[in-house]
Amino acid sequence: MNKPSILVARPVFPEVIERLQQFFEVDSNQNNEAWSKAELIGKLQGKVGVFTTGGDRMDAEVLTACADLKICANMAVGYNNFDLPAMTARGVLGTNTPDVLTETTADFGFALMMATARRMTESEHFLRAGLWTEWRYDMFAGADIHGATLGILGMGRIGQGIARRGAHGFGMQVIYHNRSHLDAATEAECKARWVSKEELLKSADHLVLVLPYSAQSHHAIGGAELAQMKPTATLVNIARGGIVDDVALAAALRNKTIAAAGLDVFEGEPKLHPDLLNVPNVVLTPHIASSSLPTRLAMANLAADNLIGFLTQGNALTPLNPEVLLKK
Ligand code: GLV
């Protein structure tokens, strides 16, 4: 019997491709060719599944043009590249990769906060440029992490991981803002207190963004919000580009409205707004918060498990629209 055909839209671990090949005819973009939407649609003809990463937009136009498609398996926890209502309407399952990346991403969020507060990349650039000639009492003096107030906007699994690190490891006071309050046991475990967004902005020494991107969270941090923060505060975004207004942030960094920022995600990435490259008080990383080798492999395997489970047995481990499974 012919195996069903799937498309792997981006390069991925060879061992994961080999696993998929046991079940499917695999057409894989291991050369990382930049496909236009029309090319992606062309590649998807006759494919019942697609393995995507966060940059691959699966919108209504693509779904409509790819009638054979039954599942889109994202190798990411975020899925703002999916038009989920359009998938559900067409009976296409969407899956993501939660949980396996929580602790690794929380590690990175914490590391980025520390690098930002303690001006690590700025001082490294200074050193590499051969500018270090003497010890100075105020050289790259930054902000403390221990004992400071950690603000978290978006308190899902990753936000909770960052809160635990801050409260238990560094004696930070943790405040958070989220649409819903955590239950009392989780709040106690994270030593975290719910506050309004205004209080979060006003009180945080270090503000970390971990909320999903949506039309509602677009530019949740813009000029008006930055103006409410302390001039000594730092801002870290490990969530999604577009949650921060990058132009407003670059201006706030230039004008010292806030002290510094650490950014792993950008509006329009992989392109960056040039203003961000021209301010020294920002730590920039290329969307790598979940990128430890074991975690990226676990994410790829979970996306593969979802494809295999759904296309061979009608089940998926981490469905985003489980109503599609129920209709099968
Ligand atoms: C990465 O950004 C993810 O959503 O997993």
Side-chain angles (χ1 to χ4, degrees):
M1 209 177 78
N2 283 347
K3 291 179 189 165
S5 292
I6 65 162
L7 178 70
V8 178
R10 295 282 162 183
V12 75
F13 297 94
E15 58 262 52
V16 175
I17 298 284
E18 279 165 29
R19 267 191 75 208
L20 290 167
Q21 282 168 337
Q22 291 171 21
F23 300 90
F24 309 117
E25 290 299 331
V26 180
D27 183 1
S28 153
N29 185 11
Q30 288 302 82
N31 293 330
N32 205 16
E33 287 166 16
W35 293 332
S36 65
K37 187 185 269 196
E39 285 167 326
L40 174 66
I41 289 172
K43 289 275 176 190
L44 280 170
Q45 297 311 302
K47 307 288 185 347
V48 290
V50 61
F51 182 119
T52 54
T53 59
D56 305 312
R57 290 207 61 74
M58 300 302 294
D59 59 21
E61 189 185 339
V62 174
L63 295 165
T64 305
C66 303
D68 300 312
L69 203 56
K70 294 188 170 58
I71 172 172
C72 303
N74 220 22
M75 181 183 153
V77 65
Y79 52 90
N80 54 304
N81 56 318
F82 284 2
D83 183 338
L84 203 59
M87 284 186 189
T88 308
R90 288 163 181 76
V92 174
L93 184 72
T95 64
N96 67 340
T97 57
D99 301 323
V100 291
L101 49 58
T102 300
E103 298 303 326
T104 295
T105 306
D107 281 350
F108 188 90
F110 211 86
L112 190 53
M113 177 177 73
M114 294 197 80
T116 303
R118 297 302 305 274
R119 306 176 64 180
M120 283 188 178
T121 55
E122 199 184 341
S123 57
E124 186 184 349
H125 290 148
F126 168 89
L127 191 151
R128 284 181 186 272
L131 298 171
W132 188 27
T133 54
E134 58 176 358
W135 185 93
R136 263 188 66 89
Y137 72 97
D138 61 348
M139 191 180 256
F140 293 104
D144 274 326
I145 296 292
H146 70 274
T149 297
L150 168 59
I152 300 179
L153 186 57
M155 196 61 158
R157 290 162 283 215
I158 297 168
Q160 291 166 34
I162 294 171
R164 281 196 310 272
R165 282 161 177 75
H168 298 283
F170 290 79
M172 300 181 87
Q173 322 303 315
V174 182
I175 53 178
Y176 74 96
H177 181 75
N178 203 46
R179 263 182 316 194
S180 53
H181 292 228
L182 295 179
D183 62 63
T186 311
E187 273 196 352
E189 191 203 327
C190 297
K191 296 195 183 174
R193 183 168 63 85
W194 187 95
V195 294
S196 67
K197 186 174 171 190
E198 288 67 32
E199 187 176 343
L200 188 81
L201 293 167
K202 210 171 60 188
S203 305
D205 293 313
H206 306 293
L207 177 60
V208 182
L209 310 179
V210 214
L211 66 168
Y213 179 81
S214 66
Q216 291 72 39
S217 64
H218 181 74
H219 286 188
I221 302 292
E225 289 75 18
L226 290 160
Q228 292 176 61
M229 294 175 68
K230 298 180 185 180
T232 49
T234 68
L235 174 74
V236 164
N237 187 6
I238 56 165
R240 276 291 180 275
I243 291 175
V244 176
D245 176 344
D246 284 351
V247 174
L249 176 60
L253 291 168
R254 208 170 32 243
N255 303 332
K256 304 280 171 58
T257 308
I258 63 168
L263 306 174
D264 188 47
V265 288
F266 306 88
E267 287 191 283
E269 65 184 51
K271 290 209 175 77
L272 262 68
H273 195 285
D275 288 359
L276 285 174
L277 294 169
N278 292 325
V279 281
N281 45 343
V282 60
V283 180
L284 305 167
T285 53
H287 203 149
I288 55 167
S290 66
S291 191
S292 74
L293 211 45
T295 290
R296 283 284 166 92
L297 186 57
M299 291 165 68
N301 271 317
L302 179 51
D305 286 340
N306 281 323
L307 284 161
I308 296 165
F310 184 63
L311 292 172
T312 66
Q313 284 163 22
N315 272 317
L317 291 169
T318 49
L320 292 166
N321 49 354
E323 55 272 42
V324 170
L325 291 174
L326 298 175
K327 277 198 202 136
K328 295 276 155 205

